[in-house]
Amino acid sequence: MPPFAAVNIRELIRPIGQLLLFSLGSAGVLSALVLVLALILDQTAVGLHLHDRYNVSLATYTLVNLPQVVIDGLTIGFVYAAIALGYTMVYGVLEFINFAHSEIFAVGAFVGVELLIALDHTGLLRSASLGMAYAYLTLALLMGMAAAGALAVTVERVAYRPLRGAARLVPLISAIGVSFLLQDVIRLVEGLTTGQFNRIMPTFGNFDRRIMLGRLALGDTTVPLGISVKSIIVITAAVLMLAGLNYLVNATRMGKAIRAVAQDRATASLMGINVNRIISLTFLIGGLLGGAAGVLYALKFTRIDPFVGFFPGLKAFTAAVLGGIGNLTGALLGGIVLGMLETFAGSFLGVFTMGAAGSEYKDIFAFSILILVLVFRPQGLMGRHVGQKA
Amino acid sequence: MSLLSLTDVHSFYGHIHALKGISLTVEEGEIVTLIGSNGAGKSTTLRTVSGLMHPGSGRVEFDGRDISRMEPHAIVAAGLGHVPEGRGIFPTLTVRENLEMGAFTVRDPEAVRERMAYGFELFPRLKERIDQHGGTLSGGEQQMLAIARGLMMQPRLLMLDEPSMGLAPVLVELIFDIVTMLNDKGVTILLVEQNALMALSVAHRGYVLQNGELVLNDTAANLRRDPLVRTAYLGMA
């Protein structure tokens, strides 16, 4: 058997299957929980209230809405997962939390969107055929990735590497500094060019179309079930990237070197591995994933501003902690769980509390998880290291 | 010209003065051992040579080249292998992957295959464990893996740090047999050992370190007869 095996298709496909299985599993568990809750609440004033207004039981309402919630939850979950991988890879190799990663994400989003806005001004987007529309979107994705990757490598070189020998708190503070600096740089650049900080993703292609999967009866009305083309793109792009990352880390020479450096930096250097180059590579990969997540986020939510990275960044960090920071599989699963949980909360919180607490309180769940995990299971669900095979 | 030479090397851990002016040489084809008690500076000497730490002052030359400021990966590429204290096996890389990492600087897959086969010839046990994680191996198997991995880059000088540590006597014999055999095949060896008896039985020359200073430097045969060595390191009166 060759020591450095050529591309192994099974190695590439297996994790995708596992990923989908896990997604469905966690969707099932959350759905069951919500349904039980709905059945209980049906016996209370909450159920009666809903019944009076819509002539439908809370359990039915929940059941009918579930498929859409799962689809939306998966979409945002994959975005979180892609960002979380950046945190967790860097942590695995340096035991350091790159708090500037949220701005790496934001820069990716801005570069991608600015490119599309520029293309839009030339009129190319409006006249683009469907194939060209996808080509432009891919281009924007690649540009966002390239910019974010280059930025991540630069930030490490300039702001973290000189502090490598310092106490652990020092690079962390530097990272927070970089985070604020980048936010303001984005604000300055975007403000200077148009006087406005925010950007809107141009509308083109068929990305806003919803593919209708059917209608579900709900009392006197029906609820549409559909998936937007955007969501399909987000999920597909994320799954492909994650499979690629899995292959890179587990089956390539450089990936093995990343794992070796994560496990024992000194010994890795004795193997002839240039540790600094591997660290740069780790930041590059994290940046590429973060940049792609940024563009996908902009595609999904349309409007971005210089602070767009803050909440997704924090949540992806929570996802990484939930999965076990330093663990690649953990970050992936943590992202999916968190995205799903948040969407469930956002969708059902309102009706379950008779409107007292709407979807704007969904972040309570994400950050409660962060605190609970840190207190009760600081090693996270998977609780192993990036050195572990993902 | 010596293959390796240290000239008045001082090394520090923060404010701790760990090496206080070490000067030693290793000639091509030799087995040289460095003996001394815990904390004498044996491992620090190897770490200073392989670039894991840089000397505060003094000069380290390998093959006529000053390597005292070079990074470990570049020193390795120059042909100097270091099997570190505690073996440094990557616990969740498989035996195969650990060996592949040893050949990280080797770009020719055919050469990697050949060298891996050679490692399995030396230590057939490793072949049985090829897809097992390094962390699941026994101490003896880990030491075999560490040595086999150290040989993957085909170093001109191989530095071994306490290869006998924690091993059963029969394994210690095996390891030292292999050290001798590698030397017969032309690998120069710098051996750090607490097991002075074994070390002096395979080495040509030896240095005795105490508190970061060299106190003795002689042929292995003479050191075995030296009263200080006999009482302090060989446990004989």
Side-chain angles (χ1 to χ4, degrees), chain A residues 131-367:
Chain A
M132 280 316 283
Y134 277 89
Y136 290 138
L137 183 66
T138 309
L139 185 66
L141 201 60
L142 292 177
M143 290 294 288
M145 289 172 80
L151 181 65
V153 171
T154 311
V155 165
E156 188 271 332
R157 188 71 194 79
V158 173
Y160 306 152
R161 191 176 298 180
L163 305 173
R164 189 113 20 100
R168 286 183 59 166
L169 198 57
V170 177
L172 207 67
I173 293 168
S174 181
I176 294 170
V178 170
S179 170
F180 285 125
L181 177 77
L182 288 176
Q183 274 180 15
D184 277 346
V185 168
I186 300 174
R187 199 156 63 128
L188 184 69
V189 171
E190 296 303 280
L192 280 179
T193 46
T194 62
Q196 277 191 321
F197 306 146
N198 57 337
R199 290 291 183 272
I200 307 290
M201 180 92 171
T203 311
F204 67 108
N206 66 346
F207 311 138
D208 286 302
R209 246 192 65 209
R210 281 181 81 80
I211 297 171
M212 294 312 298
L213 303 173
R215 303 188 70 87
L216 299 165
L218 178 62
D220 305 330
T221 63
T222 58
V223 174
L225 171 64
I227 180 165
S228 66
V229 173
K230 279 177 179 182
S231 295
I232 297 175
I233 293 172
V234 171
I235 292 176
T236 312
V239 168
L240 287 179
M241 284 195 310
L242 302 179
L245 177 74
N246 181 73
Y247 179 76
L248 176 88
V249 169
N250 286 323
T252 68
R253 177 168 169 271
M254 279 300 164
K256 286 170 196 173
I258 291 177
R259 282 157 58 208
V261 170
Q263 289 178 30
D264 186 339
R265 209 189 298 170
T267 304
S269 71
L270 294 180
M271 304 292 108
I273 296 170
N274 185 339
V275 170
N276 277 331
R277 198 178 293 168
I278 293 296
I279 289 171
S280 290
L281 176 67
T282 308
F283 274 86
L284 176 68
I285 295 169
L288 292 175
L289 288 168
V295 180
L296 293 174
Y297 184 92
L299 175 70
K300 171 86 180 144
F301 297 101
T302 312
R303 184 184 176 281
I304 54 172
D305 63 47
F307 313 105
V308 68
F310 185 71
F311 273 106
L314 263 185
K315 285 179 191 158
F317 170 67
T318 304
V321 171
L322 173 65
I325 188 141
N327 181 294
L328 295 184
T329 318
L332 209 56
L333 304 187
I336 292 170
V337 169
L338 202 74
M340 203 90 88
L341 187 77
E342 178 184 301
T343 313
F344 270 80
S347 309
F348 294 116
L349 207 54
V351 56
F352 280 19
T353 58
M354 297 200 308
S359 63
E360 64 271 24
Y361 289 101
K362 66 180 196 266
D363 291 349
I364 291 175
F365 289 84
F367 298 122

Side-chain angles (χ1 to χ4, degrees), chain A residues 40-125:
Chain A
I40 295 169
L41 286 176
D42 250 338
Q43 315 304 316
T44 67
V46 180
L48 287 176
H49 174 78
L50 193 76
H51 206 274
D52 284 348
R53 281 183 63 181
Y54 300 108
N55 196 25
V56 67
S57 77
L58 189 55
T60 316
Y61 176 90
T62 306
L63 199 59
V64 166
N65 278 293
L66 270 178
Q68 192 66 58
V69 173
V70 169
I71 291 172
D72 292 344
L74 264 186
T75 313
I76 187 71
F78 275 109
V79 173
Y80 289 160
I83 310 171
L85 282 164
Y87 284 105
T88 227
M89 286 199 66
V90 164
Y91 186 87
V93 169
L94 287 180
E95 300 204 347
F96 150 75
I97 293 159
N98 180 14
F99 274 117
H101 190 55
S102 47
E103 276 58 51
I104 305 286
F105 162 89
V107 166
F110 269 95
V111 169
V113 169
E114 283 289 2
L115 177 81
L116 290 175
I117 290 175
L119 286 173
D120 197 27
H121 283 316
T122 64
L124 276 172
L125 290 189

Side-chain angles (χ1 to χ4, degrees), chain A residues 1-5 249-278 384-389, chain B residues 47 50 52 71-74 76-77 80-84 87-94 96-98 100-107 109 112-113 116 133 149-150 153:
Chain A
M1 184 167 309
F4 303 117
V249 169
N250 286 323
T252 68
R253 177 168 169 271
M254 279 300 164
K256 286 170 196 173
I258 291 177
R259 282 157 58 208
V261 170
Q263 289 178 30
D264 186 339
R265 209 189 298 170
T267 304
S269 71
L270 294 180
M271 304 292 108
I273 296 170
N274 185 339
V275 170
N276 277 331
R277 198 178 293 168
I278 293 296
R384 288 177 307 180
H385 229 242
V386 76
Q388 303 274 353
K389 267 193 147 159
Chain B
R47 291 170 61 84
S50 63
L52 288 178
E71 292 301 314
H73 65 90
V76 166
L80 201 160
H82 179 181
V83 177
R87 296 149 195 153
I89 296 305
F90 301 114
T92 65
L93 262 59
T94 63
R96 185 205 306 277
E97 289 169 335
N98 266 283
E100 284 171 6
M101 287 299 103
F104 189 78
T105 52
V106 185
R107 301 309 287 261
V112 175
R113 238 190 310 271
M116 207 180 280
H133 279 182
R149 190 180 64 181
M153 61 192 87

Side-chain angles (χ1 to χ4, degrees), chain B:
Chain B
M1 185 187 63
S2 307
L3 184 57
L4 176 73
S5 75
L6 278 69
T7 315
D8 197 24
V9 168
H10 292 258
S11 282
F12 301 83
Y13 288 109
H15 293 295
I16 300 165
H17 197 168
L19 297 185
K20 301 165 187 163
I22 300 284
S23 296
L24 62 81
T25 58
V26 179
E27 307 298 328
E28 185 116 46
E30 275 192 312
I31 300 181
V32 173
T33 184
L34 214 55
I35 58 181
S37 51
N38 247 338
K42 305 185 301 286
S43 295
T44 308
T45 305
L46 296 196
R47 291 170 61 84
T48 305
V49 172
S50 63
L52 288 178
M53 53 196 287
H54 294 300
S57 69
R59 224 174 134 77
V60 182
E61 277 182 52
F62 179 66
D63 202 18
R65 230 165 117 194
D66 185 358
I67 57 166
S68 32
R69 297 283 141 210
M70 276 163 67
E71 292 301 314
H73 65 90
I75 294 176
V76 166
L80 201 160
H82 179 181
V83 177
E85 191 180 13
R87 296 149 195 153
I89 296 305
F90 301 114
T92 65
L93 262 59
T94 63
V95 168
R96 185 205 306 277
E97 289 169 335
N98 266 283
L99 291 171
E100 284 171 6
M101 287 299 103
F104 189 78
T105 52
V106 185
R107 301 309 287 261
D108 172 18
E110 190 53 42
V112 175
R113 238 190 310 271
E114 273 167 24
R115 293 176 195 187
M116 207 180 280
Y118 179 62
F120 292 145
E121 211 176 287
L122 290 180
F123 305 108
R125 188 92 65 85
L126 292 180
K127 192 167 189 176
E128 298 164 23
R129 304 268 186 272
I130 186 162
D131 288 319
Q132 225 167 292
H133 279 182
T136 65
L137 302 183
S138 72
E141 290 164 346
Q142 288 195 359
Q143 188 61 58
M144 294 175 198
L145 179 56
I147 293 176
R149 190 180 64 181
L151 291 172
M152 291 295 288
M153 61 192 87
Q154 288 195 337
R156 291 180 62 194
L157 170 65
L158 183 63
M159 303 195 296
L160 298 168
D161 196 343
E162 303 271 9
S164 75
M165 188 163 14
L167 299 191
V170 54
L171 279 175
V172 176
E173 296 264 1
L174 173 73
I175 299 286
F176 278 94
D177 283 350
I178 290 204
V179 167
T180 311
M181 196 204 74
L182 289 173
N183 182 245
D184 288 343
K185 293 201 166 189
V187 185
T188 308
I189 288 175
L190 176 56
L191 175 67
V192 156
E193 262 298 344
Q194 278 202 42
N195 188 342
L197 190 63
M198 275 314 263
L200 290 173
S201 71
V202 298
H204 303 107
R205 289 193 301 118
Y207 292 86
V208 179
L209 258 170
Q210 262 177 11
N211 296 320
E213 290 175 279
L214 288 175
V215 293
L216 276 174
N217 158 25
D218 212 330
T219 63
N222 284 345
L223 285 176
R224 275 201 301 270
R225 284 192 294 270
D226 187 276
L228 170 82
V229 175
R230 285 175 73 88
T231 51
Y233 303 112
L234 301 179
M236 298 175 199

